[in-house]
Amino acid sequence: MHEDRRTQLLPSWVDGALKIGGVLLVPGLIYAVALAYYGTSPQTMDIGYEPPQPVPYSHALHAGELEIDCRYCHDTVERAAHAAIPPTETCMNCHSTIRTESEKLAVVRESHATGMPIEWLRVHDLPDFVYFDHSAHVRRGVGCEECHGPVDQMETVYQYAPLSMSWCLKCHRDPTERLRSPELATTMSWDPGEDRAALGAALARENNIHPSTDCSTCHR
């Protein structure tokens, strides 16, 4: 379970703004104000959003030093729109025997004992009106690091890219430099050893990759 970032972003005055001078404002107007605030918030648009998580999980250790494949924890990226947040049982596959007394893992052990999920905080949170399918990208050879950055070097995951519409459209119009063989999608710090644009162009032709730029692709 993860907390919706939008509930953290709305300022206290939004609730108070429901009434001004004793007059109830139109709910749609309040929603528009709240949406505008959310849409222009630095936490929504700026690179570097890095919320503290309930467990100090280090991707630099797990994905970097230990080279654990992204799909071990995020096991739906190849078959579903969402990259699953791993359940506590996934953590306990290792930590039932490794660092069993670590204070850093107290929340994990409590979650396992009580059956209550860890309340991870979402880092990459697209607006509700945007549809994004992880599987469609991963299975076509867009590497995790193309959007999420060098996760294998991050102690705490942060937003690496702006994730704006223009940023997505730039890739859809010419994805060649971001393409690799699908089996290498989760390989971090990938180096093709040749010109990326030329390799990507060949992969695009071979796999018939022509990303849509139609509005309905992402806005459904």
Side-chain angles (χ1 to χ4, degrees):
M1 178 183 297
H2 44 248
E3 184 176 336
D4 191 326
R5 192 194 324 166
R6 283 163 293 184
T7 62
Q8 302 175 328
L9 297 181
L10 297 183
S12 58
W13 53 260
V14 169
D15 182 61
L18 286 172
K19 289 187 177 181
I20 295 181
V23 178
L24 181 66
L25 295 181
V26 178
L29 176 59
I30 294 299
Y31 178 77
V33 171
L35 185 61
Y37 180 87
Y38 170 70
T40 58
S41 166
Q43 291 186 0
T44 303
M45 295 302 294
D46 282 2
I47 294 170
Y49 175 61
E50 185 179 353
Q53 300 293 350
V55 178
Y57 180 89
S58 170
H59 278 76
L61 171 62
H62 293 80
E65 184 177 340
L66 299 177
E67 298 184 347
I68 297 176
D69 191 284
C70 305
R71 293 166 294 190
Y72 181 75
C73 296
H74 306 289
D75 60 357
T76 62
V77 292
E78 294 178 303
R79 53 186 172 84
H82 299 286
I85 300 298
T88 301
E89 286 71 18
T90 300
C91 305
M92 293 302 292
N93 285 343
C94 294
H95 290 294
S96 59
T97 57
I98 299 173
R99 298 188 181 277
T100 58
E101 302 299 324
S102 172
E103 184 60 31
K104 293 181 178 181
L105 297 170
V107 173
V108 176
R109 292 193 296 272
E110 180 182 1
S111 171
H112 185 250
T114 63
M116 296 299 294
I118 299 171
E119 295 188 6
W120 299 101
L121 299 178
R122 184 187 290 273
V123 178
H124 305 87
D125 190 12
L126 297 178
D128 289 344
F129 53 79
V130 176
Y131 175 79
F132 178 85
D133 190 328
H134 275 84
S135 66
H137 292 76
V138 173
R139 290 190 301 181
R140 303 293 265 175
V142 178
C144 303
E145 61 187 342
E146 298 298 333
C147 298
H148 295 294
V151 176
D152 60 327
Q153 301 172 34
M154 298 180 186
E155 281 296 324
T156 303
V157 170
Y158 57 86
Q159 183 172 317
Y160 172 80
L163 306 181
S164 63
M165 186 169 73
S166 61
W167 184 80
C168 294
L169 279 172
K170 181 179 180 180
C171 183
H172 271 230
R173 288 168 179 151
D174 182 11
T176 53
E177 292 192 1
R178 297 184 181 275
L179 294 177
R180 62 182 76 178
S181 296
E183 64 269 19
L184 299 173
T186 61
T187 300
M188 305 305 296
S189 303
W190 176 68
D191 181 4
E194 57 182 293
D195 182 72
R196 293 193 64 160
L199 173 62
L203 288 169
R205 289 192 300 270
E206 178 182 340
N207 298 315
N208 193 30
I209 298 175
H210 303 287
S212 172
T213 56
D214 188 271
C215 299
S216 63
T217 302
C218 301
H219 303 293
R220 302 183 178 184

